[in-house]
Amino acid sequence: MPYTNKDNYLLAVDCVIFGFDHDRLKLLLYKRNFEPEKGKWSLMGGFLKREETLDEAASRVLAVITGLRNIYLEQLSAFSDVNRDPAARVISIGYYALINIHDYDEVLLHKYGAQWFSIDELPDLIFDHHEIVDKALRRLKRKSKTQPIGFELLPTYFTITMLRNLYEAIYQRELDPANFRRKFMSMDLLDRLPIKDKNGSKKGSFLYAFNQDKYKLQTSGGFSFDLSGI
Amino acid sequence: MPYTNKDNYLLAVDCVIFGFDHDRLKLLLYKRNFEPEKGKWSLMGGFLKREETLDEAASRVLAVITGLRNIYLEQLSAFSDVNRDPAARVISIGYYALINIHDYDEVLLHKYGAQWFSIDELPDLIFDHHEIVDKALRRLKRKSKTQPIGFELLPTYFTITMLRNLYEAIYQRELDPANFRRKFMSMDLLDRLPIKDKNGSKKGSFLYAFNQDKYKLQTSGGFSFDLSGI
DNA sequence: CCAAAAGTGTTCACGCTACACCCATGC
DNA sequence: GCATGGGTGTAGCGTGAACACTTTTGG
């Protein structure tokens, strides 16, 4: 063993779990069930195991609370303040996940005392979890402008208005319906279904689905997804 | 101690150190002086100490090899493949640094067998260090479009042509001299000195300096640094 | 018929692109 | 005086912003 007398630490992952409900961006939080700070609201987290990567640890943690696998997941960064956790020197790697909010396992949620909160009505969180949430929000805002990740937060079939509501929630500003529609139509990434959703209006609006193949085709042709100008 | 029976690990930082020389983006690499992989080219790295944050560890590592403090430094992300280091389970946090290439301590460089390499002529690197370099390059390309970090790679006084050469090296494409100049002039972030540099041309070109105060003033007025359209 | 949301058309202004052109100076 | 890089002028094009307008249908 060539590395002698090195300090060592506990390594954790903490997940900021995003959902989108009608017109609100939400976070899934849970009541921490062990000391310290037992009973306080917290991000879902867990310790890294010896035989897994950090990405695998984050996936495992997500599966435990949501029952879902193959979720969109991205690493944010490491949080390493010496006293961020008063009980031990724990370095945490922040992650964020995007899930379809109606896709989760209710039973598991209740088991862990988990609950969805609007991002503008968050409760107090333990340790530096607010900082992790801030970083996740900034990353989501930035990344969603250049990658088609918004669809991860929507059901498979959605209307253009739902899509616009999502981006309005992410960017926290209103978008012109006419220009927004044109922008997405011009990218040619969506399949229009021969079905209208009449919930939102009497006229009804077509349902669309994101088409991964079309996206790849466009990308290979030099196109890049870009919502920077909307 | 509430956390029982948790696995623990070694935590390291590895720094991608960028410099800019005339028209080339370069990296500072060194010959690793301990096992495993002793004598191979490597990023500058070190292990996290118990009483410091990751940012502090990265600063310390940089100071050791360059003799410089207060360097621009930014965390990239964690690299955690189970067998990335064959000698032990080491999780590494990647960082990148931007330094003025002529500002370093030659003595320290020789002591560590360090050397500058053009980014398109890198030698083989140990472990997953190539992956860390790739991430650093992508981050630098992105970040330099929206933050005035390019100046960190230049001397205090520079010509507009030098500035353009820098961005050409970062973006790896040519930029129109006329339009580039106008773009920067319109941002009003630079002080023009009453001095001309005659190295590049007979007419001579004015030297400029980045003015942090002007930048803050512009920013507070709703301006944001943006080179996305050049 | 009317309200209300879906969806289309059209104008305007701004900013990037491309390239022509003038400027200063060392040889 | 001429070659060379510094620096300015400018016409054209593409795209986002704003908003008027048409379509559809349930009540």
Side-chain angles (χ1 to χ4, degrees), chain B residues 157 188-193 207-212 214:
Chain B
Y157 306 116
D188 192 21
L189 304 175
L190 306 180
D191 290 329
R192 192 174 84 176
L193 304 180
L207 287 171
Y208 291 81
F210 176 62
N211 184 330
Q212 192 67 246
K214 280 186 174 174

Side-chain angles (χ1 to χ4, degrees), chain B residues 5-80:
Chain B
N5 298 320
K6 302 300 181 191
D7 294 336
N8 55 45
Y9 315 89
L10 294 174
L11 249 180
V13 295
D14 283 305
C15 296
V16 181
I17 304 171
F18 286 103
F20 176 66
D21 192 17
H22 298 103
D23 57 356
R24 296 289 196 89
L25 206 51
K26 299 199 167 185
L27 291 191
L28 186 60
L29 301 174
Y30 90 114
K31 277 213 163 82
R32 190 166 152 111
N33 54 9
F34 56 94
E35 292 298 343
E37 302 280 9
K38 184 171 174 175
K40 302 272 184 71
W41 290 106
S42 162
L43 296 176
M44 189 68 198
F47 289 97
L48 180 68
K49 291 185 192 292
R50 184 158 280 279
E51 71 284 356
E52 66 186 0
T53 64
L54 288 162
D55 286 2
E56 288 161 358
S59 287
R60 173 172 55 78
V61 162
L62 270 176
V64 168
I65 199 170
T66 64
L68 298 173
R69 302 197 169 275
N70 300 115
I71 292 178
Y72 181 89
L73 200 58
E74 190 185 329
Q75 194 190 119
L76 293 165
S77 66
F79 295 81
S80 65

Side-chain angles (χ1 to χ4, degrees), chain A residues 1-3 6-11 32 34-36 47-56 75-82 85 87-91 93 95 127 139 142, chain B residues 1-3 6-11 32 34-36 47-56 75-82 85 87-91 93 95 127 139 142:
Chain A
M1 168 66 177
Y3 306 133
K6 301 300 181 192
D7 294 336
N8 56 44
Y9 315 89
L10 294 174
L11 249 180
R32 188 165 154 109
F34 57 92
E35 293 296 345
F47 289 96
L48 180 69
K49 292 186 191 291
R50 184 157 280 278
E51 72 283 357
E52 67 187 0
T53 64
L54 287 163
D55 285 3
E56 287 161 358
Q75 192 191 121
L76 292 166
S77 67
F79 295 81
S80 64
D81 274 4
V82 176
D85 183 332
R89 182 77 204 272
V90 182
I91 282 82
I93 312 296
Y95 275 80
F127 305 165
R139 181 76 65 93
R142 177 170 59 72
Chain B
M1 167 66 178
Y3 306 132
K6 302 300 181 191
D7 294 336
N8 55 45
Y9 315 89
L10 294 174
L11 249 180
R32 190 166 152 111
F34 56 94
E35 292 298 343
F47 289 97
L48 180 68
K49 291 185 192 292
R50 184 158 280 279
E51 71 284 356
E52 66 186 0
T53 64
L54 288 162
D55 286 2
E56 288 161 358
Q75 194 190 119
L76 293 165
S77 66
F79 295 81
S80 65
D81 275 4
V82 175
D85 182 333
R89 181 77 203 272
V90 182
I91 282 84
I93 312 296
Y95 275 81
F127 305 163
R139 181 76 65 92
R142 177 171 58 72

Side-chain angles (χ1 to χ4, degrees), chain A residues 3 15-16 24 27 34 62 70 72 88 99 102 114 117 120 124 158 161 182 184-185 192-193 195 205 218 224 226 230:
Chain A
Y3 306 133
C15 296
V16 181
R24 297 289 196 88
L27 290 191
F34 57 92
L62 268 176
N70 299 117
Y72 181 88
I99 78 175
H102 298 300
F117 291 87
D120 47 4
D124 283 340
F158 49 85
T161 301
R182 249 190 304 267
F184 260 92
M185 291 302 133
R192 191 174 83 175
L193 304 180
I195 304 168
S205 62
Q218 299 291 359
S224 25
D226 183 8
I230 62 167

